[in-house]
């Protein structure tokens, strides 16, 4: 499957209840050659109207965080666990996350990044089962040979100034990790690696 086919499927998806209240589905966007994929929770009000990920206030902050480490959103890939906005910005329910997950898996398979950066608790828990972000943020986690780098959600840092400096210093750690991957010409993951990761 190509990214375009996934996008067209997502735009007309009716696999969970969230499709009933959406304006536009938000498939995700960025570079096909991205070394890093950022995974948020789900679209908010602005994303629902524009059909693009992280274009509201947390998106503006994410742009600043990328800029801090000399990245641009065109260099990375940005997606969400669920592609349609949960009403009142509630966290997506488990059945909604499960219904949407095959799209994300396919996107990760195609882009095949060095690192998956989860943004916030929902993405971390959905992809790893880890429930405590405070214990693992800013640390590289290897699950079945897939590298994950958990970050706090930009929205959480906007509301809590104490988290802002933590998130920003975690971004610098990410910069160094990406630099060392490039230097060592780290190989991308093969199909079987991703299979065992997704199996969990
Ligand atoms: N929060 C998210 O998790 N994703 C978005 O796209 C916007 C806000």
């Amino acid at each position: 499957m190509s990214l375009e086919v996934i996008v067209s499927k997502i735009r007309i998806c009716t696999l969970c209840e969230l499709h009933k209240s959406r304006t536009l589905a938000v498939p995700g966007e960025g570079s096909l050659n991205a070394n890093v994929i950022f995974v948020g929770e789900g679209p908010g009000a602005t994303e629902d109207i524009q059909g693009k990920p992280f274009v509201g206030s947390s998106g503006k902050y994410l742009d600043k965080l990328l800029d801090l480490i000399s990245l641009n959103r065109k260099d990375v890939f940005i997606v969400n666990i669920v592609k349609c906005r949960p009403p009142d910005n509630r966290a997506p329910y488990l059945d909604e996350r499960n219904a949407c997950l095959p799209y994300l898996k396919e996107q990760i398979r195609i882009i095949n990044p060095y690192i998956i950066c989860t943004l916030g608790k929902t993405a971390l828990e959905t992809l790893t089962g880890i429930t405590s972000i405070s214990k693992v943020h800013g640390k590289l986690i290897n699950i079945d040979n897939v590298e994950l780098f958990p970050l706090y959600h930009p929205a959480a840092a906007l509301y809590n100034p104490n988290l802002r400096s933590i998130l920003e210093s975690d971004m610098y750690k990410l910069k160094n990790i990406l630099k060392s991957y490039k230097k060592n010409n780290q190989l991308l993951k093969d199909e079987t690696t991703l299979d065992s990761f997704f199996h969990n």
Side-chain angles (χ1 to χ4, degrees):
M1 219 187 298
S2 68
L3 272 185
E4 289 78 20
V5 171
I6 298 171
V7 167
S8 56
K9 285 186 176 209
I10 292 171
R11 292 220 185 275
I12 56 165
C13 181
T14 56
L15 287 176
C16 82
E17 293 289 299
L18 293 180
H19 81 276
K20 293 185 179 161
S21 50
R22 77 176 172 225
T23 309
L24 291 173
V26 181
E29 63 182 17
S31 165
L32 245 178
N33 302 315
N35 291 334
V36 54
I37 180 163
F38 289 89
V39 185
E41 175 176 297
T46 317
E47 291 78 16
D48 174 69
I49 291 168
Q50 296 189 24
K52 292 175 179 202
F54 283 95
V55 285
S57 50
S58 47
K60 293 210 169 67
Y61 184 46
L62 178 60
D63 286 342
K64 280 195 192 140
L65 292 168
L66 291 173
D67 195 49
L68 267 187
I69 61 166
S70 311
L71 282 177
N72 186 285
R73 60 161 69 210
K74 288 198 268 357
D75 306 320
V76 300
F77 204 86
I78 303 176
V79 279
N80 282 302
I81 293 289
V82 295
K83 315 302 195 202
C84 296
R85 183 191 181 202
D88 304 320
N89 296 343
R90 64 163 169 76
Y93 298 142
L94 185 61
D95 62 326
E96 295 160 349
R97 288 187 262 154
N98 285 340
C100 216
L101 214 47
Y103 295 127
L104 178 61
K105 290 178 177 176
E106 225 20 68
Q107 289 171 313
I108 293 174
R109 238 181 242 289
I110 293 171
I111 292 156
N112 203 0
Y114 294 154
I115 299 192
I116 300 171
C117 276
T118 52
L119 297 172
K121 277 166 56 167
T122 298
L124 175 67
E125 193 173 341
T126 307
L127 292 182
T128 68
I130 296 171
T131 50
S132 175
I133 192 166
S134 59
K135 293 209 177 104
V136 294
H137 74 87
K139 293 185 182 141
L140 203 53
I141 307 176
N142 185 299
I143 298 183
D144 292 323
N145 293 322
V146 171
E147 307 276 20
L148 286 117
F149 191 71
L151 293 166
Y152 280 107
H153 195 288
L158 278 181
Y159 290 115
N160 179 351
N162 294 334
L163 289 186
R164 232 172 282 164
S165 55
I166 296 175
L167 181 51
E168 290 171 12
S169 89
D170 287 349
M171 287 301 288
Y172 286 112
K173 289 184 196 160
L174 174 64
K175 180 180 186 170
N176 285 331
I177 293 167
L178 287 172
K179 218 191 278 175
S180 77
Y181 280 4
K182 273 201 191 124
K183 199 166 130 214
N184 299 330
N185 201 13
Q186 171 121 349
L187 289 175
L188 296 181
K189 287 158 264 303
D190 59 28
E191 282 284 311
T192 47
T193 304
L194 285 172
D195 279 345
S196 48
F197 173 68
F198 289 140
H199 193 254
N200 291 315

